[in-house]
Amino acid sequence: MDLRHHHGTDVHVVRACYYADGADLVAIGGTHSVQVLQTTPNSYKVIANFYIGCRITALAWSSKTTSPSSTDEWIVELTAAGEDFGLNLLTKTATSEESVFPFGGGLSGHHGKINDISFCGGQSEDSSRYVATVSDDKMLMVWDLHPSVTIRSPGSPEILDETDPAARPQPTAYVISFPHPLVSVCSHPSTSKEFLVADIRGSVFLTDWRSDPEANEQASWRNASVVELVEPRALADAVTGATKRWSGFAAWRPDSADIVGATYGSRFALWDLSRLQGGKPMVSGISFPEGGHRFRWCPSYPEYFGVSTNSPSKGAVINVHNTAYVNTEPTTFTVAPKPLYIRDFDFLATPGIPRIAAAVGREVVIFYIGVES
């Protein structure tokens, strides 16, 4: 059955938790707050509500997160970006109330809309320590949430209590600049060194954020980028000015660090990093002639990926493709009629038949994309 949650304001961001101990959790970013839903096949409940005070533009889950369904000592931790270009670390546990720790504002952070967030990949503690953000200001920033060196003001205590937001040291950022505005960033469970970064013009960069940028400070993105992938038609349209609506989004296939997918304009593209072909995709096709907006892999059935459009001409629609039959027509799911459209969506990581959480107007709709055979 479909689940419908009325948030109270327009829902701008939806992110499912992909970690096994929190796979039934979904975060929702609205006009001024973030809610966390715990889902079951037939119901849901709100387990956390964080007031931010401005529109949410991006969300990311920390690997520390565990669901009440996994343990009595559960914890919710995620990072939220607001339209004021600031960041917030959000935390709630089974024994404590919601905590909002703001950082990255003012001169120390971004100076444009933050379009996406991702915690570091890998299996070490770094996966909850480092979080990456990308923005319209052409910057990738990797934040250390637990800096080992802190700058203390005169008279401040020697020992800082990180559970107290007022006493906690501000995160520090490692900055990599790119030539064009950035639209998405993601990590992979198999590596803590690299982020996948996409810009608006059809380029996707596999970026080693731990590399040394000192060799050429004027082009640090070239030093940090291990591989640059391109979607030729999107890049050509950007160069010739044929692109009317700037959009794009890239993601790593969760079960394979070699497979990357993206949507640019009307097209989707898949790359195989083991066969680079000069950075060109191994396969591409049309998903939405009006232009795609979001690209998401399904974590429970990784051969599936979904593409949405934010054009209201089709209504709130998501196309789900199968990589085994990538040249056939996708399965189309209509969530709501026009003029409503999909602002954001994500696949839940719960086992069994895949489920999608989609932001439509003031609602989040959670639905299955198949039935038991």
Side-chain angles (χ1 to χ4, degrees), residues 224-237:
S225 296
V226 179
V227 175
E228 180 179 353
L229 310 173
V230 294
E231 207 301 301
R233 295 196 185 189
L235 194 59
D237 288 346

Side-chain angles (χ1 to χ4, degrees), residues 323-339:
T323 55
Y325 310 98
V326 73
N327 292 317
T328 63
E329 288 294 315
T331 303
T332 299
F333 295 90
T334 301
V335 185
K338 58 184 182 183

